[in-house]
Amino acid sequence: MLIVSFIETRAQLELQAAAREVVERVVTPVAESVPAGQKLTPDQLRRLYKACKPLGYIGSTIDKKFGGAGMSYVDYGLLLEALAGGPVVLGEIVPPRTINYLGNDEQKRRWLPKLFSGDWVSTAAITEPQAGSDMRGFKTTAVLQGDAYVVNGKKRWIKLGGVSDLMTLMVVDTSGGLSRLVLERAVSPWQSVELEAVGIRNLSFAELTFDNVRVPKENLLGDAGAGGEQFHRGIESSRVFVGIQAVGIARHALDIALRYAKDRTAFGRPLAKFQGIQMALADAATRLQSARLLCLNALAILDAGRRAPCDVSMAKLFAVETAIRTCQTAMESMGAWGLAVDAGVERCWRDCCMLTAIDGTANVQRLIIGRELLGVPAFV
């Protein structure tokens, strides 16, 4: 483990300020235009992508010579943290990084410009009904027949799976190994059914079905059978990004509670003057700051070119669990109004709950930490 001191630069502070301005000017009005119980449409998502593009949201950490934003992991994490304060959980867009990392020159020329422009919505499809972190249990297959792979199987809990134009898909090939394919909906259409969940309700989370879907063989990313290793090398930054998003969501909930404590009076004085309220909010802010620093520390290690499975899992585990606890504290400090939908805090709590499962559950993170500390794996 490496400990990195961290103080935001002026440029990083300006990046976060610009992100918050986009949330207020574009993201919030778009989200508020979506009727309750409905999802953002592809056109609405494209509008958000294009608004966030100048911030580096789509190009992320991809080198500028390939058309990316060339951001550091820390900078991209700070961007996601600031965007997370809005009503749409704008998480990392994974396919551009995957294609840039694994794709050949022709594949990069073919797909990256459309993704970087914001014209295409994309997703990564990995989890299946019977298997998530246990990739040995995957059953979605790809069999090469002539000039195309024929894909059969199901994926579940795929964020934006119902509205994406392109996806990177993890499949089991004929050797029994895992491979990555790129699917364009217009060429290799899949079926999708929306799943309703506790949080992030305005974005598509879908179960996808592939029934003899033909995918051009040139859409294979990297070497056949190497998808599992490729996944583990790329998941570390994604896990920390989820953690720092949780921090951003919880910070928004805490800010609501702080404002409420100053404005609301009880027994002749503001809630802010009650010791119990101050202590609860002070503890919540302290834990949240600790979670934030764990995330930034892990991202700084990745920026140094080092793998950091232990630091990454510590950051994701502690940040998400702390964020949920912070949102609960915010709701409790506000009394009955904290439970109201219009207060905005319960949505933060629900959205943070959704982040517990994305990129590995809390107990999966604990098993990774334990393995790194003890040198002995405890996965069954």
Side-chain angles (χ1 to χ4, degrees), residues 73-143:
Y73 286 114
V74 167
D75 285 353
Y76 194 62
L78 291 171
L79 172 61
L80 293 180
E81 179 191 27
L83 291 174
V88 180
V89 180
L90 291 169
E92 173 197 14
I93 302 178
V94 175
R97 286 209 304 139
T98 304
I99 292 169
N100 178 69
Y101 180 62
L102 300 175
N104 56 41
D105 289 342
E106 190 280 329
Q107 290 172 329
K108 293 177 183 178
R109 286 193 297 268
R110 179 179 172 188
W111 291 311
L112 287 181
K114 292 179 180 178
L115 293 173
F116 286 150
S117 69
D119 289 331
W120 275 11
V121 179
S122 62
T123 189
I126 297 172
T127 300
E128 299 190 359
Q130 76 292 336
S133 295
D134 180 16
M135 293 191 295
R136 297 169 298 181
F138 285 174
K139 295 181 179 179
T140 299
T141 59
V143 178

Side-chain angles (χ1 to χ4, degrees), residues 1 236-247 287-302 308-323 355 358-362 365-366 368-369:
M1 290 181 284
E236 290 187 1
S237 58
S238 295
R239 283 177 170 151
V240 191
F241 290 149
V242 171
I244 203 163
Q245 273 188 282
V247 170
R287 287 190 295 266
L288 196 60
Q289 178 71 348
S290 299
R292 183 175 192 260
L293 292 175
L294 268 178
C295 291
L296 293 172
N297 184 71
L299 292 172
I301 296 172
L302 296 179
C310 187
D311 298 271
V312 162
S313 289
M314 285 179 174
K316 203 263 182 179
L317 169 65
F318 187 73
V320 175
E321 292 196 341
T322 295
L355 299 182
I358 295 176
D359 290 334
T361 64
Q365 307 310 320
R366 289 185 173 94
I368 294 171
I369 296 166

Side-chain angles (χ1 to χ4, degrees), residues 140-151:
T140 299
T141 59
V143 178
L144 185 60
Q145 294 182 2
D147 61 354
Y149 287 96
V150 178
V151 178

Side-chain angles (χ1 to χ4, degrees), residues 335-350:
W337 183 243
L339 304 175
V341 172
D342 287 346
V345 180
E346 58 85 33
R347 176 187 59 79
C348 296
W349 176 81
R350 290 188 289 100

